[in-house]
Amino acid sequence: MDALQTLSALPKVDLHVHLDGSVSPESLIALARYQGIPLPTYDPPQLHPYMQIGEQGCGSLVEYLAKFDFVLPFLQTADALAYVATETVRQAAEHGAKYIEVRFAPQLHRERGLSADDAIRHVIRGLKLGERQFGVMARAIAICMRHHDGEANLEVVEAASRYCGHGLVAVDLAGNEAAYPASLFRDVFARAQGYGIPITIHAGEAAGPDNIAEAVERLGAARIGHGVRAREDDEVLALLRDRRIPLELCPTSNIQTRAVSGWSDYPIRDYVEQGLLLTVNTDNPSVSGTNLTNEYRVLAERFEFTPQEIKGFILNGVEAAFLREHEKEQLRREILEFGAL
Ligand SMILES: [Zn+2]
């Protein structure tokens, strides 16, 4: 096996992958044909500009998020949600994933009559089918959207409470961070905390470290999505380190959304040295044109992480997973027993 094959085969976890950012052009064409919704082209490579950030990246998180508008109309039925959930598991399995947490916003899948509960139920159904077919444990995370009102987000938390422990493991907050600071969502996440649902929050990606502190100290976040801007505040760095709050880094996405200016400015080495608990994830394989193997390849090439350091990131992912201890132990064993590194 060459180095890339070894990296691909290495057992991995992905804790931060969006369902609507994982729809391949081939899947979209299948959904379009089945549902009778027209596409501008039925040639997969020609769909890329509509669905994927190009080589040049994009201007901001807001531009990045616009790519999701193209696929969402196709994800409004029970079967479409289940199908893309299973496909997300299949794609992860191709890159050695043994455990994934797939996140999605139930309220964005209701244009054709599904309830928030329906959306969650059918995503879990698709994930479970993927588990059986591809041997990857897969759980769901329900996202509250920053641009939605409190009522819509409380509805998500209520629905999530009914599936927590039954295929769903957490709730999240996502969307335009710069326009909607974390502090606007105290009521929503107080409800989630009341139900004991684990919480992860996108913070310190398109806005500053205050959002990270707010997410951890007020909203009850046990993990932070991205958090690349934590370095702007030493107190926030200390908070993350002392409480062992894992960061869900998504390197390719973080470069594309301009969360950092470029690879030379990506703080991963710095964060390792500061003792932060770092995990490596894909965010949106289709939108970002990436996969788990590629994320680790980039880190190994650009930052000279050794195979042991790569394994360390994966083991951090296991530690940070919203799983029970015996499930984590099984994953740890699989990773540690992988001999080719
Ligand atoms: Zn994300």
Side-chain angles (χ1 to χ4, degrees):
M1 270 199 282
D2 67 20
L4 198 59
Q5 286 169 327
T6 305
L7 213 47
S8 177
L10 177 64
K12 300 178 209 60
V13 303
D14 193 346
L15 304 182
H16 191 132
V17 57
H18 291 258
L19 184 73
D20 50 356
S22 302
V23 182
S24 67
E26 290 78 7
S27 293
L28 195 70
I29 290 167
L31 288 169
R33 291 212 159 107
Y34 186 73
Q35 300 181 35
I37 305 174
L39 278 174
T41 168
Y42 293 83
D43 179 31
Q46 289 194 33
L47 275 175
H48 279 147
Y50 298 94
M51 311 173 61
Q52 198 178 94
I53 302 298
E55 292 283 307
Q56 75 290 350
C58 58
S60 67
L61 178 63
V62 171
E63 267 185 47
Y64 184 90
L65 295 177
K67 296 288 178 189
F68 295 87
D69 296 342
F70 187 73
V71 298
L72 278 171
F74 300 87
L75 306 180
Q76 302 299 330
T77 68
D79 285 347
L81 285 173
Y83 172 70
V84 294
T86 305
E87 273 296 295
T88 302
V89 182
R90 186 188 61 73
Q91 290 166 186
E94 279 182 2
H95 290 280
K98 296 297 171 192
Y99 175 65
I100 61 174
E101 292 173 1
V102 180
R103 58 187 72 196
F104 70 105
Q107 299 289 17
L108 297 181
H109 303 279
R110 300 190 56 198
E111 282 171 21
R112 290 168 75 177
L114 295 181
S115 66
D117 280 72
D118 292 336
I120 294 173
R121 185 169 72 253
H122 292 293
V123 168
I124 291 173
R125 173 165 68 89
L127 294 177
K128 284 193 188 305
L129 181 62
E131 284 192 334
R132 289 196 295 276
Q133 287 188 340
F134 307 110
V136 181
M137 273 198 289
R139 302 287 183 269
I141 294 177
I143 301 176
C144 300
M145 294 302 297
R146 291 190 142 97
H147 65 283
H148 287 172
D149 62 23
E151 198 182 331
N153 283 329
L154 284 169
E155 203 174 11
V156 171
V157 171
E158 290 293 333
S161 75
R162 292 186 276 273
Y163 290 92
C164 193
H166 305 282
L168 180 143
V169 290
V171 287
D172 179 22
L173 177 65
N176 185 348
E177 185 188 357
Y180 299 91
S183 55
L184 296 173
F185 302 92
R186 287 178 185 169
D187 291 353
V188 172
F189 287 92
R191 183 81 61 95
Q193 290 184 70
Y195 282 124
I197 309 173
I199 296 166
T200 176
I201 288 184
H202 284 71
E205 179 190 19
D210 289 359
N211 274 331
I212 300 173
E214 171 75 22
V216 172
E217 292 182 321
R218 300 293 299 264
L219 305 191
R223 298 194 325 224
I224 291 292
H226 308 299
V228 286
R229 291 183 59 181
R231 63 175 163 184
E232 295 169 25
D233 187 328
D234 286 344
E235 281 183 27
V236 170
L237 284 173
L239 175 74
L240 294 171
R241 184 181 54 239
D242 296 346
R243 296 209 198 169
R244 287 191 68 70
I245 303 287
L247 295 187
E248 304 157 1
L249 295 178
C250 305
T252 299
S253 163
N254 295 155
I255 300 295
Q256 290 172 339
T257 64
R258 301 272 188 266
V260 291
S261 62
W263 286 111
S264 60
D265 196 35
Y266 198 59
I268 190 164
R269 264 283 171 215
D270 184 27
Y271 283 2
V272 168
E273 278 156 22
Q274 302 220 29
L276 299 194
L277 188 62
L278 304 179
T279 70
V280 175
N281 311 280
T282 56
D283 209 8
N284 298 289
S286 292
V287 174
S288 284
T290 192
N291 55 59
L292 269 179
T293 307
N294 184 58
E295 293 301 311
Y296 284 106
R297 178 190 64 78
V298 168
L299 293 186
E301 286 178 8
R302 292 196 180 264
F303 300 94
E304 298 181 343
F305 284 112
T306 65
Q308 284 316 311
E309 286 176 309
I310 297 286
K311 251 191 189 180
F313 287 129
I314 298 169
L315 290 167
N316 287 348
V318 174
E319 184 176 340
F322 292 130
L323 281 176
R324 289 185 290 259
E325 195 46 46
H326 72 273
E327 294 167 316
K328 293 186 187 184
E329 198 44 49
Q330 180 193 327
L331 284 171
R332 268 190 212 106
R333 254 202 314 276
E334 257 185 278
I335 294 158
L336 290 168
E337 284 170 3
F338 182 82
L341 276 188

